[in-house]
Amino acid sequence: MEHIYLDYGSTAFPKAPGVGQAMADYIDQVGVNIGRGGYEAAYHTAEVVLDTRERLCRLFGWNRPESVIFTSGVTASLNILLKGFLRSGDRVAATSMEHNAVLRPLAQLAQSGVEVEIISCERDGSLPPERLEEALRRRPRALVMTHASNVCGTLLPAEEAAALCRRYGVRMILDCAQTGGVFPVDMLGWGVDALAFAGHKGLLGPQGIGGFLITGEMAMEVTPLLAGGTGSQSHLETMPDFLPDRFEAGTLNLPGIFGLRAALDYVERQGIHTLRQRSIARTDQLLRGLARIRDIRVVGRPGTEGRGAVVSVDFLHLDNAQAAYELENRWGIETRCGLHCAPKAHQTLGTYPQGTVRFTPGHATTEEEIDRAVSAIEEIAKEREGFTLHF
Ligand SMILES: Cc1ncc(COP(=O)(O)O)c(C=O)c1O
């Protein structure tokens, strides 16, 4: 049976052309570290790393490659930012659409005296700017917000939020896990203080590489979570103040960076607009197909307006885990079911505790694959709890 991969929201597959080769070439033909050795291969590797930082700056509308910090991904980045910035007695605001990459560090911080305010979103996942402003008037020290929900795809008003944060003197941390390489982000133009990105989703790169971009001012307000060797100022007991070394202790994931650079090259050549159009066209097709099916509830906004390529479905007469199992077992359709690491988002959308089956098309999803998915969903939706499993 052919596989129909509809789990791009978790990670993109296939990766961009050239990613695997770039990683293999680095491992087989280069293999050295940077910032340690003084020889040609190390300098060449350092140039590739700098070039990758520059490409990320272009993508996210930023102008300082040294303040692009590499980590393993969004989770590590948000932990570094939140735990390094917030102290006992501080207040922080977040939305009800956040991923556990935000909610769990905040829950830990709440244990050490940080006051956490969760701003409720609407039943379609949207965040009315007036509600956000109300929370910012209480002057939290930071707002941490996802740019798009990983459960229903709804975009949150990042640009307006950044403007409001400027007005109220609040630091803004943006989670771009679902929008990096897909939707335009203008860190400098919008006035975002820090943003976290993952290499393996919309950027079409490998897992295990991601990072954050941070303004020089905010960087000095974040105590480095990690301390260790940087290959610089080794006589000091403390981490260097300058970027990126302030936050990059230890050896970088260089195979990941080489792979990410190849992915960024592809994303730049294709253009994020073209790549987004591909996945949004398939999302539109899926939403239209689902609109005629009874016995399911499609959560989030009604169409593709204000939405990324994420479609969550609640099967009304069937356990969603069973529906996902059937889709895979009988049609080879690969989805993700459950709470998608975002329990409060499901509470907001009215799909807690049952969760949903999430379909996330991507750059390589075909029209035929979506047609087949719609037919399969239609057939399953008609079935009822307790029907015979087909093995
Ligand atoms: C909105 C959101 N934030 C954070 C993350 C965590 O990203 P990573 O697994 O790269 O750390 C994800 C991953 O699915 C996500 O969708």
Side-chain angles (χ1 to χ4, degrees):
M1 185 169 29
E2 261 181 59
H3 289 260
I4 298 177
Y5 184 70
L6 291 177
D7 199 16
Y8 282 79
S10 173
T11 196
F13 184 76
K15 305 297 180 194
V19 168
Q21 193 61 52
M23 296 176 79
D25 287 350
Y26 167 76
I27 295 279
D28 291 340
Q29 293 163 32
V30 185
V32 302
N33 265 345
I34 58 163
R36 292 8 182 202
Y39 36 81
E40 198 50 44
Y43 299 140
H44 161 73
T45 304
E47 274 167 26
V48 170
V49 173
L50 177 61
D51 179 60
T52 311
R53 295 190 209 271
E54 286 171 347
R55 286 171 189 272
L56 287 160
C57 280
R58 286 202 286 279
L59 185 75
F60 289 113
W62 188 234
N63 57 2
R64 292 181 169 272
E66 70 278 11
S67 58
V68 175
I69 313 298
F70 288 115
T71 68
S72 61
V74 171
T75 304
S77 298
L78 290 172
N79 271 270
I80 292 169
L81 290 166
L82 295 170
K83 292 175 181 172
F85 183 68
L86 295 167
R87 295 185 245 300
S88 178
D90 284 347
R91 168 193 273 272
V92 59
T95 82
S96 65
M97 299 314 285
E98 302 311 317
H99 189 276
N100 276 339
V102 169
L103 296 178
R104 285 181 171 169
L106 291 188
Q108 288 181 334
L109 285 161
Q111 299 270 313
S112 43
V114 172
E115 195 186 332
V116 179
E117 175 174 1
I118 301 292
I119 310 165
S120 298
C121 291
E122 297 286 290
R123 198 171 149 90
D124 66 357
S126 61
L127 173 59
E130 323 76 72
R131 199 172 300 162
L132 176 62
E133 185 163 7
E134 211 180 293
L136 297 185
R137 267 200 213 106
R138 288 189 276 279
R139 314 263 170 187
R141 199 160 162 243
L143 168 73
V144 52
M145 191 177 102
T146 188
H147 191 188
S149 162
N150 66 310
V151 177
C152 60
T154 302
L155 284 166
L156 269 61
E159 187 175 354
E160 291 94 320
L164 287 170
C165 282
R166 294 277 71 78
R167 187 181 308 160
Y168 292 98
V170 177
R171 292 277 182 227
M172 164 136 178
I173 302 171
L174 189 62
D175 173 354
C176 292
Q178 292 292 331
T179 53
V182 182
F183 285 92
V185 176
D186 187 0
M187 176 156 159
L188 192 60
W190 296 355
V192 172
D193 295 289
L195 69 81
F197 67 93
H200 64 108
K201 297 182 194 269
L203 297 184
L204 311 180
Q207 284 95 334
I209 186 72
F212 62 95
L213 279 66
I214 189 164
T215 62
E217 207 180 319
M218 176 138 181
M220 290 309 127
E221 296 167 5
V222 177
T223 306
L225 192 67
L226 296 178
T230 55
S232 57
Q233 296 189 335
S234 298
H235 60 290
L236 294 181
E237 280 188 348
T238 53
M239 288 293 282
D241 270 347
F242 59 87
L243 298 171
D245 297 30
R246 180 170 172 79
F247 298 110
E248 283 183 353
T251 302
L252 286 179
N253 174 1
L254 292 166
I257 292 173
F258 274 70
L260 178 60
R261 179 182 178 239
L264 289 167
D265 183 52
Y266 176 78
V267 168
E268 267 183 58
R269 279 188 287 108
Q270 296 286 309
I272 65 169
H273 180 67
T274 306
L275 289 169
R276 182 173 71 253
Q277 272 182 333
R278 281 188 214 154
S279 61
I280 293 295
R282 299 287 74 82
T283 305
D284 187 51
Q285 184 193 347
L286 179 59
L287 286 169
R288 285 173 197 278
L290 297 182
R292 53 165 211 266
I293 303 178
R294 290 170 47 212
D295 301 319
I296 59 169
R297 179 179 158 230
V298 180
V299 302
R301 297 176 68 96
T304 52
E305 183 70 29
R307 169 190 211 130
V310 180
V311 177
S312 256
V313 174
D314 190 10
F315 287 78
L316 300 180
H317 303 293
L318 191 64
D319 184 90
N320 287 320
Q322 194 174 357
Y325 169 81
E326 292 294 322
L327 286 168
E328 211 271 312
N329 197 254
R330 286 155 63 184
W331 288 275
I333 297 169
E334 295 165 333
T335 63
R336 178 168 169 200
C337 74
L339 295 177
H340 313 97
C341 301
K344 287 191 195 303
H346 280 280
Q347 284 163 1
T348 306
L349 299 163
T351 47
Y352 188 88
Q354 75 273 26
T356 53
V357 183
R358 187 186 71 175
F359 301 82
T360 47
H363 67 110
T365 307
T366 65
E367 221 172 309
E368 197 206 332
E369 286 177 327
I370 295 296
D371 279 344
R372 282 168 56 192
V374 171
S375 308
I377 295 166
E378 191 162 19
E379 200 163 322
I380 287 185
K382 282 190 224 137
E383 294 170 4
R384 290 286 187 276
E385 207 74 69
F387 71 106
T388 316
L389 291 178
H390 304 252
F391 288 102

